[in-house]
Amino acid sequence: IGVRLVGSEMCIRDRLDAPWRQMAASPSVWALAVAHSASNFFGYFAASWLPSFFASQYGLDMRAASDAALIPYIFGSGAAAGAGAVADGMVRAGVSLTETRRRLQLVAAVGPALCCAALVAGGGSPVAGGHVPLGVAEALLVGAIGSSHCLAAGYGCGAQDISRRYASLIYATTSAVAVVAGACAQYATGALIAADGAAGGAGGFARVLALVVVVELAGGLLFARWWRSEREFE
């Protein structure tokens, strides 16, 4: 018990003595917060609203809509493992760790943005007056969620690159910002769909997807600009 108490006190002291000002001024820390926030914006929307998307846009019952929403995540889990293998291969081939993180995070941001943009460009589902068949929508969402899971080798490992001592603290702090962004996505989705329904329309999801495109592209570009895989806080 004594050993555990001493360890807890050391952990608390370590957090109190953390270089908070330097962290707040670090471009790499902001890169983590921005990339995580953008990913959460799309991720929270997809996790919560895809069954509703398939039900309202394609007239599926809830079981069929849930099945359709599950398929992209099956591919996403494989994409995360694949991204790790690709990142390791890039580093072995001589690509810098900074560049490896940037490239994988760009895939994680630009992939969902392009797939969502394609859904918007197609005018949405036939129910919403568009021309995107169900199979095409499913394929685009597989691409969106699959590519988004490349974040596992992007910002997901970034905190460990810039600090071993404070990696958990940096990740937790930037995650707090990202959770707020994810909550904003939930609110924005509900508000846009409710407003569209009140106006008698069926294209509320198109505006949500267009917003995802903007947020993801902004997050990916800012990460690429600010990120450095260099030890900063030890």
Side-chain angles (χ1 to χ4, degrees), residues 74-96:
I74 294 174
F75 282 88
S77 61
V86 169
D88 290 343
M90 291 173 66
V91 172
R92 284 195 298 269
V95 179
S96 70

Side-chain angles (χ1 to χ4, degrees), residues 128-148:
H131 306 284
V132 180
L134 175 59
V136 174
E138 288 180 321
L140 287 171
L141 288 167
V142 165
I145 293 176
S147 58
S148 75

Side-chain angles (χ1 to χ4, degrees), residues 115-195:
C115 292
C116 290
L119 282 170
V120 175
S125 72
V127 173
H131 306 284
V132 180
L134 175 59
V136 174
E138 288 180 321
L140 287 171
L141 288 167
V142 165
I145 293 176
S147 58
S148 75
H149 279 65
C150 289
L151 63 83
Y155 83 79
C157 299
Q160 297 164 342
D161 292 350
I162 61 177
S163 177
R164 290 183 179 178
R165 182 177 181 182
Y166 298 110
S168 59
L169 179 62
I170 293 170
Y171 189 85
T173 304
T174 54
S175 292
V177 177
V179 166
V180 174
C184 290
Q186 299 285 58
Y187 177 81
T189 301
L192 288 172
I193 291 172

Side-chain angles (χ1 to χ4, degrees), residues 33-81:
V34 169
H36 198 164
S37 296
S39 295
N40 271 16
F41 194 91
F42 171 64
Y44 279 36
F45 158 75
S48 299
W49 289 93
L50 281 194
S52 298
F53 169 81
F54 284 115
S56 68
Q57 301 294 287
Y58 291 96
L60 302 183
D61 60 42
M62 287 311 297
R63 175 170 183 143
S66 297
D67 289 343
L70 173 63
I71 295 173
Y73 284 95
I74 294 174
F75 282 88
S77 61

